[in-house]
Amino acid sequence: MPSSHRPSARAVRHSLLWAASLLIVLPAALIAQSVPPALESPAAGPPQTGPNGEKLAGMPKFHNPAPYDIDDHSGFTQIFDGKSFIGWDADPTIWRVEKGIMVGEILEGKPKGNNYIVYRGDKTRDFDLKLQMKIEKGGGGGIQYRSLTGVPWGRLQPEGQPPYDLKFMMTGPQADFWFPVTAKTADNTGQWYSENTMQGILAYRGQVTEALPGQTNRLVANIGDIRALGGYVNVNEWNDYEVIARGGVMMHIMNGQLMAIFIDDNKDSVNNQPGLIGFEIESQPCKISVRDIWLRSFD
């Protein structure tokens, strides 16, 4: 063979290594994807032996997840002790502790404008928040999260009221909750709303919406009919309310029923920053009661 066509020693070594690699058979355990033990399903049958003597676990026997349980508090911290507002900022003319319950109340004929009770014990971005909540008499409010205080307020106080005290005013994402004074206010419960910004409602109840960088939100999917989902809301009674926030995904769940999801894919968005948790009361007359407040942070 002419020297010009002779393979180099380096090329020969590369070819031999490539050929040898074809003969290597990795154990099945290294090929299979590892799964956390808690997520493994039981095998549908006993292990089997493969044609080359390898152990095959067989296919899993499918099973349903553990049932919904608002009282499952594994990894959670209770952030309201039911006795005091330690860790919270609140206007004492509106908020009080009553028989282990956090109560906010605005009396008929005595308008106060928007008001918030603020949890100062933590700023969190990725979390699960579980609680029980009810609204009576009228009005509304909701759950603030990833929110700020001290931001100038975009609406005027009712006539005759002093300027807003900004340490009690929260700006940011809200899981809405309204008394069904009208069909419209009833439809607000569960939606994704941005308090004190020009974003407004970015996911109505029953919607999954997404905002890509530089774009407005768009409908991705429907969860259900806005009016029909209102049937899951207990009027004048306690409601389980859960907010799940992971990265740009924010989910609102009431009584085990998904109500709204907003996905903000702009990593620099104000909606994607760590912030404060709190509760709002709005309009009059209105009484908001909150208890069993549990937080699990993943930050």
Side-chain angles (χ1 to χ4, degrees):
M1 177 184 293
S3 61
S4 61
H5 291 88
R6 251 182 238 147
S8 67
R10 181 177 178 183
V12 171
R13 287 197 302 272
H14 177 77
S15 298
L16 291 174
L17 288 171
W18 177 81
S21 69
L22 297 180
L23 301 176
I24 297 173
V25 178
L26 293 175
L30 295 181
I31 297 174
Q33 184 182 22
S34 61
V35 177
L39 297 182
E40 289 186 355
S41 297
Q48 297 178 338
T49 302
N52 298 314
E54 68 272 25
K55 292 291 180 68
L56 303 176
M59 291 299 292
K61 182 179 181 180
F62 306 127
H63 60 82
N64 286 323
Y68 164 77
D69 184 4
I70 191 69
D71 295 320
D72 180 3
H73 299 139
S74 303
F76 285 77
T77 300
Q78 195 164 25
I79 60 174
F80 170 56
D81 62 16
K83 301 174 183 177
S84 69
F85 284 148
I86 294 176
W88 297 81
D89 255 349
D91 181 343
T93 68
I94 295 176
W95 298 92
R96 65 182 185 270
V97 178
E98 186 176 277
K99 298 180 180 178
I101 298 169
M102 177 186 292
V103 177
E105 188 166 17
I106 299 176
L107 301 177
E108 187 170 6
K110 297 183 178 181
K112 292 276 192 177
N114 295 45
N115 195 267
Y116 304 77
I117 181 168
V118 186
Y119 179 59
R120 299 287 186 184
D122 197 8
K123 278 190 175 182
T124 183
R125 175 176 180 263
D126 293 350
F127 64 89
D128 294 342
L129 179 68
K130 287 184 176 184
L131 54 96
Q132 290 190 312
M133 191 174 189
K134 67 178 175 180
I135 293 185
E136 303 166 276
K137 301 183 180 181
I143 304 167
Q144 293 291 142
Y145 58 94
R146 293 182 176 180
S147 293
L148 302 174
T149 57
V151 178
W153 203 251
R155 283 164 285 176
L156 294 174
Q157 270 274 42
E159 188 175 352
Q161 294 293 312
Y164 283 114
D165 187 340
L166 295 181
K167 74 179 180 182
F168 297 135
M169 306 303 289
M170 302 191 76
T171 297
Q174 182 186 109
D176 239 328
F177 191 5
W178 273 81
F179 192 84
V181 176
T182 65
K184 180 67 182 85
T185 56
D187 288 346
N188 291 343
T189 298
Q191 70 186 5
W192 194 102
Y193 173 68
S194 181
E195 183 67 277
N196 195 39
T197 78
M198 294 303 293
Q199 295 181 95
I201 301 168
L202 294 185
Y204 287 90
R205 186 170 70 202
Q207 292 183 339
V208 180
T209 63
E210 178 185 29
L212 296 169
Q215 301 181 29
T216 186
N217 58 315
R218 63 183 183 89
L219 184 66
V220 175
N222 288 302
I223 299 165
D225 177 77
I226 189 172
R227 200 59 56 83
L229 288 171
Y232 289 92
V233 182
N234 300 323
V235 179
N236 289 321
E237 300 293 341
W238 290 105
N239 291 265
D240 299 343
Y241 214 143
E242 183 167 5
V243 176
I244 296 175
R246 297 288 190 285
V249 180
M250 291 155 276
M251 306 171 62
H252 299 169
I253 301 166
M254 291 191 74
N255 299 315
Q257 171 62 47
L258 182 63
M259 292 294 190
I261 298 177
F262 175 52
I263 305 165
D264 191 338
D265 282 321
N266 182 351
K267 65 181 178 64
D268 297 322
S269 168
V270 294
N271 302 317
N272 283 340
Q273 310 308 314
L276 299 166
I277 289 168
F279 302 102
E280 180 202 23
I281 185 169
E282 180 178 348
S283 192
Q284 53 82 31
C286 184
K287 181 180 179 181
I288 292 181
S289 302
V290 191
R291 68 183 183 187
D292 297 333
I293 309 170
W294 295 83
L295 176 65
R296 177 168 60 188
S297 179
F298 293 92
D299 296 326

